[in-house]
Amino acid sequence: GAVVSQHPSRVICKSGTSVKIECRSLDFQATTMFWYRQFPKQSLMLMATSNEGSKATYEQGVEKDKFLINHASLTLSTLTVTSAHPEDSSFYICSAASANYGYTFGSGTRLTVV
Amino acid sequence: AQSVTQPDIHITVSEGASLELRCNYSYGATPYLFWYVQSPGQGLQLLLKYFSGDTLVQGIKGFEAEFKRSQSSFNLRKPSVHWSDAAEYFCAVGAMGSGNTGKLIFGQGTTLQVKP
C-alpha cells in the first residue's frame, strides 16, 4: 500500500529559528500534497495545498511567508516554519493525494518552540 | 460552504458493545466522504470511504458506514467494540469533483473511550 514518510516526528527549536518538515511519498507519485495543523484535542486544520512545480495555495488566515511550502517533485513536499515562535508549537500532518491511492497521511511532526 | 459536524465530542462504550459515531455534512452536491482514525501522536488511518454506489460501505477493522443523502449523514458503526478501538475518529468530506485529490474538510473529531 501507499506510504508517506514524514520527518522529523518530533522537533524542538528555539524561538526565532526555522524548522523544515519533510513529507515524502515512498512508493507512489502524489498529484497533490496537503499540509494540516492540529492543536491538542482538536481537528485538523488545512493550511495549504501544493501541486508539484506550482506555488502552494494557502487557506485564509495562514501566513504564507511564515509557512513556506516547497513541492519540488511528485514525491516530496516540505513545510518550513520560519522564525518560529511558541504559538507555532503544534502537530503538523501532511497528506499525499493520488488517483490510485486516494489520501495517504504522514505520521505527523510534533513541533515545540521554546 | 462545505462543513462537517460530529455532534459527539466524546463517547464511552463498554468493550463488546455496539458503536455508532455520528457525522453530518453540508454540501452542495454528492460529497466524497471519509472516516479516519487517529491514535495519540500519530497520523490518520483511513477506515472507509464513500464516493458513489452502494450507500453501505464496509471498511477495515470491522467498521461500516452508511451514507444517507436525505439526512446528510455518514454515520460510522461497529457491532462489537474492542479495547484497541479507543482513539480519535474523524469524518471528512472531499471537495466537489475532486475524486481522490481535492482537499478534505474534517469534522471536529470524536474521542472514543472503551471501558473494560
Side-chain angles (χ1 to χ4, degrees), chain A:
Chain A
V3 176
V4 169
S5 174
Q6 184 174 344
H7 290 284
S9 58
R10 291 178 179 272
V11 58
I12 300 173
C13 71
K14 291 186 177 181
S15 187
T17 62
S18 295
V19 173
K20 180 182 285 188
I21 302 170
E22 182 179 286
C23 180
R24 190 182 297 271
S25 57
L26 296 185
D27 47 6
F28 67 100
Q29 292 183 330
T31 310
T32 306
M33 288 202 180
F34 304 92
W35 287 94
Y36 293 87
R37 182 174 181 175
Q38 186 180 31
F39 291 102
K41 303 294 185 183
Q42 294 190 26
S43 186
L44 281 75
M45 181 192 76
L46 180 65
M47 299 174 66
T49 303
S50 73
N51 294 293
E52 181 261 341
S54 302
K55 288 186 177 180
T57 301
Y58 290 81
E59 296 297 303
Q60 190 173 9
V62 178
E63 298 176 64
K64 62 180 180 181
D65 294 330
K66 179 165 192 64
F67 299 100
L68 300 179
I69 292 173
N70 182 277
H71 194 160
S73 75
L74 286 171
T75 60
L76 176 64
S77 177
T78 60
L79 167 67
T80 301
V81 182
T82 63
S83 187
H85 290 284
E87 57 265 30
D88 298 324
S89 298
S90 191
F91 192 61
Y92 294 88
I93 305 176
C94 68
S95 172
S98 69
N100 290 335
Y101 299 108
Y103 303 92
T104 305
F105 286 82
S107 54
T109 298
R110 172 74 58 196
L111 170 63
T112 303
V113 184
V114 297

